Every structure is written in C-alpha cells, then in structure tokens.
Amino acid sequence: MTQRLVFAGDSITDAGRDRTDDGSYGDGYVALIVDDLAAQGADVVVVNRGIAGDRTVDLERRWEQDVRAEGPDVLTIAIGVNDMWRRFDSDDPTSAADFEATYRRLLDRADARVVLLVEPYVVPIRPDQAEWATDLDEKRAVIARLADETGARFVPVQAAFSRAAEQHGAAAIAPDGVHPTPAGSRLLADAWLAAYETIPASDLRAEARA
C-alpha cells in the first residue's frame, strides 16, 4: 500500500523547494528522507508543504488547503522556531499558551493515520541566543505534552543538535543557530527516520485513520 507522507512546517522543512513543483523537496531533511526511503524501496509519495517564515498561526491559515487536502497517511509537523524567533527580531512574541492553543487546533484537524511532531531546536551561536533557548524550551515542552496527550509520535531533535554542537561547533550544525547545514539536515532526517521506523504496520492500515 502506497503511503502518502506530508511534511508541514517552516523554512527548515521548506529548505528552498520550488513551490510550483510538487516533485521539489528542497535541499534539507525532507530531500534526505526521500532519498533514504527510495534506497529502501519504500512505497511512498512524499509531499513537502514547508513555507519559510511560518509560525503556527501561519500554518493554521493554510492548513486545509496545504495539509488536509493532501490526504496524508503520515503527517509530519515541524513548527515552532519562528514562534520563538519573532520575539527577538520583530518584538512579536508568541506565548507558550497561545502556541499550545494553536498547535492543539492543528492536531484536532490532523486527519492522518500517524502524526509525527518534530521538536524545534536552537544551538546558540551568540551569547544573546541563550534567551532564545529559554523561550523555545517552553514550546518544546508544549509539543512533547501534546504528543503524549494525542498519541502523536514525538521526534526528539534538540539533544542530538546540542551534542553535535559540542563536538563540532554550533556553526557546523546551524550557522545562525537555527537553519541547518547539510550535517544538521542529516541529524533531522535520522531523527525522523528513527521515529518512522517504529510505526507498526497496523497503524498505517486504512481503518487506523482518525
């Protein structure tokens, strides 16, 4: 049975894809996943619906057209970094409570057999970015809690990025603290694949759709 994998998120998912071409996956973790699954002979169709700059409220505005209309079997949501970032570059903060309310509405309308929630991350490059990490901590906690409450699969990312930053330097993983290098994209892809590989076949059957 062909599985339809839909990825929704921000620039980390978008990764410079050609939005006029459904066969364009960008040059980030989604493209790596496509290549890895193809090498495994997986029977999948992959759809990238990342949009650079999106916060949760932006993703919610396009949810019906860009996400639900794609009919995902496996839906991946990778959002939250810009909910943190806009506080610091535009004085436009998103509280943890507002973030949770919007994210919860997305999950309430996630018509997919399996949902994976990718943990947002930051690897501070400058001293002031320590405050970024504090803001994002609250949003990561929200996502982990929602995954537990709803039965979605949580894809942990921050710990792997932090370890890699310690070993190789943060700039080798994400030069601005957020946008990944190829090595960072590989970390994301590996985290997603590890979660995907744990999905029981029974969860992907037609009767499992919510």
Side-chain angles (χ1 to χ4, degrees):
M1 178 186 70
T2 302
Q3 295 172 18
R4 193 166 180 84
L5 314 182
V6 177
F7 291 80
D10 50 36
S11 60
I12 295 170
T13 298
D14 184 332
R17 68 183 177 92
D18 178 353
R19 297 177 194 168
T20 69
D21 178 6
D22 279 347
S24 173
Y25 306 111
D27 59 4
Y29 78 99
V30 177
L32 293 175
I33 288 168
V34 170
D35 289 345
D36 287 354
L37 292 179
Q40 297 170 18
D43 186 8
V44 300
V45 172
V46 176
V47 179
N48 186 339
R49 288 294 178 263
I51 296 288
D54 265 12
R55 295 180 293 180
T56 48
V57 291
D58 303 305
L59 182 55
E60 184 179 29
R61 291 187 190 105
R62 61 187 181 87
W63 190 255
E64 294 298 322
Q65 178 178 349
D66 277 7
V67 180
R68 288 193 71 189
E70 291 295 341
D73 297 305
V74 178
L75 171 61
T76 299
I77 305 173
I79 200 79
V81 165
N82 290 312
D83 294 83
M84 171 274 292
W85 207 336
R86 294 296 83 81
R87 169 185 172 187
F88 299 100
D89 70 357
S90 303
D91 193 23
D92 186 11
T94 300
S95 70
D98 287 345
F99 179 77
E100 179 170 354
T102 306
Y103 211 123
R104 189 180 294 277
R105 289 194 298 271
L106 298 181
L107 293 176
D108 286 344
R109 294 153 54 204
D111 185 17
R113 294 170 187 162
V114 176
V115 179
L116 291 89
L117 309 184
V118 178
E119 180 183 37
Y121 65 88
V122 62
V123 285
I125 300 292
R126 308 184 308 270
D128 64 289
Q129 287 179 316
E131 192 175 2
W132 294 24
T134 299
D135 183 286
L136 199 59
D137 282 345
E138 296 180 342
K139 295 172 175 63
R140 283 201 304 271
V142 164
I143 295 170
R145 184 171 65 254
L146 288 175
D148 186 59
E149 288 180 14
T150 64
R153 283 165 172 77
F154 182 68
V155 182
V157 171
Q158 181 65 64
F161 269 74
S162 295
R163 285 194 300 270
E166 288 180 6
Q167 294 171 359
H168 307 293
I173 306 303
D176 61 0
V178 170
H179 293 99
T181 62
S185 293
R186 184 71 260 174
L187 288 176
L188 279 166
D190 287 347
W192 186 93
L193 288 163
Y196 178 74
E197 289 167 1
T198 68
I199 301 171
S202 58
D203 286 3
L204 292 168
R205 293 175 186 154
E207 63 268 20
R209 183 181 287 274

